[in-house]
Amino acid sequence: MTDAPALDLAAGSVAVTRALVDLESVSGNETAIADAVEAALRAFPHLEVTRDGDAIIARTNAGRAQRAVIAGHLDTVPVNGNLPSRLDEDGTLWGRGTVDMKGGCAIALVLAAELTTPSVDVTWVWYDHEEVEAELNGLGRLARTHPELLAADFAILGEPSNGEVEGGCNGTLRVDVTTRGRRAHSARAWMGENAIHAAAPILARLAAFEPETIRVDGLDYREGMNAVKIAGGVAGNVIPDECTVHVNYRFAPNKSGAEAVERVRELFDGFEVVVADLAEGARPGLDAPLAQGFLTAVGGEARPKYGWTDVARFSALGISAVNYGPGDPGLAHADDERVPVEQIERCERGLRAWLTTRD
């Protein structure tokens, strides 16, 4: 183990959030923070603690009829002058990871230590490599190699949601739409075929595309289809023979990934389309009995999650899942990343109320 500072889980979720933020854990460098989390949890005999790489799993086994997973990722995007943390007098906590998502991780740590006999058995998960390539994702690794550790009736992911419940998530698809031409000297352009010019209809179709808002299990998911990158050109005096438009389609969870791919191929009929990346969405799953009890306990109304999150991994396992955590998603990854401590405290109260309510 590393010499990471000890975490005092009795200090409260705000203090633990700050301690986690000050443990730099950019993706690929999570060992120290994982060591600190593991060491803190092993002090509590009501938890069965397992480690897989830099993912820590802690389970209660109180014999409850139902089980929930409450999960969060320990890694962050790179630091850019926003560590160590600072706490302003107005109750704002600043620093890398305050939003995405060490507040959610801290709440889980505090409640995992405190709640020895929760109303449902809980599998608490803190995992690695969420902010990088999907094949490295620690939750995905657990789903592939130890799915039994994630077995549950309901799941909550502590992703930032402004302290509100966000159900499911949109899927995301990225494709390369390519045109081909023939090189020639630009002084004799008529001897070639300009692939960049040939891409104009691709952009025209995207500009004319009208994204839908689709109601799925009571929540309205906004779709989007956009060019996010374009590449082409050889030299300043050469007619280009290739141009690729990189297109991102955010699709509602009423569609499968295969249906989303077919939708894109239809839009770009006549062009070469290659799938670069695909992640399935997740339906809200708010009709699950545990989800209904959770919504009642935390208050408010559920909203859709437009961005993709790891709730989709739970959905793929047949587990209904929601996002619920402190922080404005619009500040995730920003240099001025910050969270009101009120949101951390409110989310902690909501989860505690749910996990201590007996039917």
Side-chain angles (χ1 to χ4, degrees), residues 10-167:
S13 55
V14 174
V16 175
T17 298
R18 191 169 187 184
L20 292 178
V21 169
D22 288 338
L23 274 169
E24 183 269 302
S25 57
V26 174
S27 303
N29 189 38
E30 299 99 324
T31 298
I33 196 170
D35 286 349
V37 168
E38 179 185 11
L41 293 169
R42 288 197 181 278
F44 298 93
H46 67 280
L47 296 172
E48 175 189 299
V49 180
T50 303
R51 181 160 181 166
D52 182 279
D54 284 333
I56 312 299
I57 305 95
R59 294 164 53 91
T60 67
N61 291 289
R64 305 301 186 208
Q66 293 178 299
R67 178 175 291 276
V69 173
I70 299 177
H73 63 84
L74 294 169
D75 62 321
T76 72
V77 296
V79 176
N80 188 20
N82 47 8
L83 284 184
S85 64
R86 80 172 194 267
L87 180 60
D88 285 353
E89 291 183 0
D90 67 356
T92 301
L93 180 62
W94 297 71
R96 174 63 77 225
T98 51
V99 171
D100 195 12
M101 55 168 287
K102 291 185 175 179
C105 288
I107 292 167
L109 281 167
V110 168
L111 294 180
E114 174 189 331
L115 303 180
T116 58
T117 56
S119 56
V120 295
D121 270 318
V122 183
T123 300
W124 306 94
V125 181
W126 299 265
Y127 61 98
D128 57 294
H129 286 92
E130 191 272 349
E131 299 288 7
V132 288
E133 297 89 343
E135 61 266 22
L136 299 177
N137 185 290
L139 191 64
R141 183 180 68 249
L142 290 172
R144 292 190 303 271
T145 61
H146 297 290
E148 71 283 357
L149 292 177
L150 300 180
D153 303 286
F154 180 55
I156 300 167
L157 189 66
E159 284 281 356
S161 62
N162 272 318
E164 305 291 339
V165 178
E166 293 184 331

Side-chain angles (χ1 to χ4, degrees), residues 37-323:
V37 168
E38 179 185 11
L41 293 169
R42 288 197 181 278
F44 298 93
H46 67 280
L47 296 172
E48 175 189 299
V49 180
T50 303
R51 181 160 181 166
D52 182 279
D54 284 333
I56 312 299
I57 305 95
R59 294 164 53 91
T60 67
N61 291 289
R64 305 301 186 208
Q66 293 178 299
R67 178 175 291 276
V69 173
I70 299 177
H73 63 84
L74 294 169
D75 62 321
T76 72
V77 296
V79 176
N80 188 20
N82 47 8
L83 284 184
S85 64
R86 80 172 194 267
L87 180 60
D88 285 353
E89 291 183 0
D90 67 356
T92 301
L93 180 62
W94 297 71
R96 174 63 77 225
T98 51
V99 171
D100 195 12
M101 55 168 287
K102 291 185 175 179
C105 288
I107 292 167
L109 281 167
V110 168
L111 294 180
E114 174 189 331
L115 303 180
T116 58
T117 56
S119 56
V120 295
D121 270 318
V122 183
T123 300
W124 306 94
V125 181
W126 299 265
Y127 61 98
D128 57 294
H129 286 92
E130 191 272 349
E131 299 288 7
V132 288
E133 297 89 343
E135 61 266 22
L136 299 177
N137 185 290
L139 191 64
R141 183 180 68 249
L142 290 172
R144 292 190 303 271
T145 61
H146 297 290
E148 71 283 357
L149 292 177
L150 300 180
D153 303 286
F154 180 55
I156 300 167
L157 189 66
E159 284 281 356
S161 62
N162 272 318
E164 305 291 339
V165 178
E166 293 184 331
C169 68
N170 275 337
T172 181
L173 167 67
R174 292 198 297 271
V175 300
D176 289 326
V177 187
T178 300
T179 56
R180 309 286 178 182
R182 186 173 66 252
R183 293 190 191 189
H185 196 294
S186 60
R188 301 174 183 83
W190 63 88
M191 299 183 68
E193 295 178 11
N194 195 311
I196 292 179
H197 292 183
I202 298 172
L203 300 178
R205 293 181 196 185
L206 282 168
F209 179 80
E210 296 186 0
E212 295 181 274
T213 296
I214 299 174
R215 196 162 184 82
V216 183
D217 298 345
L219 299 182
D220 292 329
Y221 290 85
R222 296 179 62 180
E223 295 197 328
M225 180 112 57
N226 291 280
V228 293
K229 185 170 64 174
I230 188 165
V234 180
N237 59 353
V238 177
I239 298 301
D241 62 341
E242 182 178 313
C243 181
T244 297
V245 181
H246 198 62
V247 177
N248 182 210
Y249 179 29
R250 298 287 176 150
F251 58 94
N254 67 316
K255 296 181 180 69
S256 67
E259 290 169 331
V261 170
E262 183 59 29
R263 177 73 181 89
V264 170
R265 291 193 185 281
E266 288 176 358
L267 181 65
F268 299 114
D269 183 42
F271 290 95
E272 178 184 328
V273 177
V274 176
V275 174
D277 187 46
L278 172 63
E280 300 278 354
R283 299 182 76 93
L286 296 172
D287 53 350
L290 278 184
Q292 289 296 309
F294 170 70
L295 280 173
T296 299
V298 302
E301 294 185 2
R303 301 178 299 173
K305 186 72 169 180
Y306 297 130
W308 189 92
T309 76
D310 277 329
V311 294
R313 299 187 187 279
F314 290 112
S315 181
L317 293 171
I319 303 169
S320 298
V322 299
N323 304 277

